[in-house]
Amino acid sequence: MNIKKFSTAVSMAEAAGEHIIELVKKKPESLLCFAGGETPLLTLNYLVEAALKGKVDFGKCSFVGLDEWVGLGRETKGSCRQTLFDYFFDRVPELTDSQICFFDGLANDLDAECKRVDEFIAKHGVIDFMLLGIGMNGHLGFNEPGVPTDKYCHVVDLDSVTKKVSVKYFDEEVNVSKGISLGIKHIMEATEVMLMAYGEKKADIVKRTIDTEPTSDVPSTLAKNSKNAVMFIDEAAGSQLN
Ligand code: GLP
């Protein structure tokens, strides 16, 4: 896996943003997948500003959500849906609902949700580009440690680390125990995968991701087996690397 280190999270987000803009210029009808959480926010902001300035046109792209907390919808600040729509989809004027496929964390039939999202991706072939935040336990989306590698969309029991970390997203107390997520097979089949991490708190998992052979125990290591993966980190997240 290629590793690109940047002096700051801002310069990393700019480079990631420019990379995505180039990709969309080359293939305007790309299928893109951006993680929720904190990691992609600066990049999403960069892309929104570029779209508003007319530097990039997402009008022909499609988007698929990476994951969602089961039981949460847009009305919960910190849900993946709220994050992606408020920081990106609703700020890009050319986007319409038909371009976006996002897990409904409030759906009664979660298997049907998995099927719906799998079918949306299959209709497009494969995902052209994924921007994935590395979780504190190495999760990618909600592909938690021990994840089976042969799954597309699936419903997941959240790892204890994920449950503990989850409080940072929410203003109110929420009880999250399950997630719904694209699977490792989607990540393996994607044309390009960008793993991203910034800040000192990610330094340990970044080092483990790089030093460990691909294993489900540390899902971020599995990206090394994908077709074309790159890791974007800032100085702080890379501070334990030689
Ligand atoms: C969260 C989210 C993922 C995110 C990852 C890392 O649980 N569900 O979409 O990519 O874990 O989160 P963060 O970027 O906040 O560190």
Side-chain angles (χ1 to χ4, degrees), residues 31-33 62-68 81 99-105 107 109-127 130 152-155 180-183 186 189:
L31 175 59
L32 306 172
C33 174
S62 300
F63 296 87
V64 63
L66 174 67
D67 58 354
E68 186 56 285
R81 180 177 283 263
Q99 289 168 263
I100 304 161
C101 177
F102 213 94
F103 288 116
D104 178 3
D109 187 343
L110 295 173
D111 290 337
E113 264 310 279
C114 287
K115 194 162 175 273
R116 182 177 71 82
V117 176
D118 280 340
E119 283 174 0
F120 181 87
I121 296 168
K123 200 177 86 191
H124 290 81
V126 291
I127 302 171
M130 300 181 87
Y152 288 114
C153 290
H154 60 143
V155 179
I180 183 166
S181 182
L182 301 194
H186 289 121
E189 291 175 9

Side-chain angles (χ1 to χ4, degrees), residues 60-236:
K60 291 187 177 142
C61 290
S62 300
F63 296 87
V64 63
L66 174 67
D67 58 354
E68 186 56 285
W69 308 89
V70 168
L72 302 189
R74 185 163 181 183
E75 55 291 342
T76 304
K77 188 173 170 298
S79 68
C80 297
R81 180 177 283 263
Q82 181 270 327
T83 305
L84 263 301
F85 277 79
D86 282 3
Y87 282 89
F88 186 71
F89 298 136
D90 282 354
R91 294 177 64 205
V92 176
E94 63 264 30
L95 291 188
T96 57
D97 285 350
S98 65
Q99 289 168 263
I100 304 161
C101 177
F102 213 94
F103 288 116
D104 178 3
L106 295 169
N108 288 325
D109 187 343
L110 295 173
D111 290 337
E113 264 310 279
C114 287
K115 194 162 175 273
R116 182 177 71 82
V117 176
D118 280 340
E119 283 174 0
F120 181 87
I121 296 168
K123 200 177 86 191
H124 290 81
V126 291
I127 302 171
D128 291 288
F129 177 83
M130 300 181 87
L131 172 53
L132 303 175
I134 307 175
M136 294 295 285
N137 58 1
H139 73 194
L140 298 176
F142 282 134
N143 292 292
E144 299 281 35
V147 63
T149 55
D150 61 348
K151 296 232 187 250
Y152 288 114
C153 290
H154 60 143
V155 179
V156 178
D157 288 327
L158 297 176
D159 184 67
S160 57
V161 174
T162 302
K163 287 188 214 167
K164 205 167 147 203
V165 172
S166 73
V167 295
K168 76 172 177 170
Y169 300 114
F170 307 118
D171 290 344
E172 56 195 276
E173 202 178 319
V174 295
N175 189 9
V176 284
S177 61
K178 284 183 185 296
I180 183 166
S181 182
L182 301 194
I184 294 296
K185 274 189 107 173
H186 289 121
I187 297 173
M188 292 302 121
E189 291 175 9
T191 308
E192 190 181 350
V193 173
M194 180 183 285
L195 263 55
M196 187 181 265
Y198 71 86
E200 180 73 39
K201 65 176 191 283
K202 294 284 174 78
D204 176 62
I205 190 60
V206 163
K207 184 171 168 47
R208 272 205 289 151
T209 302
I210 290 166
D211 289 351
T212 312
E213 288 297 309
T215 166
S216 289
D217 295 344
V218 186
S220 48
T221 61
L222 297 171
K224 295 177 190 175
N225 287 340
S226 73
K227 286 190 192 162
N228 179 15
V230 60
M231 187 192 277
F232 271 35
I233 50 175
D234 74 342
E235 199 76 41

Side-chain angles (χ1 to χ4, degrees), residues 16-31:
E18 284 299 326
H19 183 80
I20 295 164
I21 291 168
E22 282 313 304
L23 196 132
V24 171
K25 280 185 184 156
K26 273 192 207 130
K27 187 177 176 189
E29 68 286 3
S30 290
L31 175 59

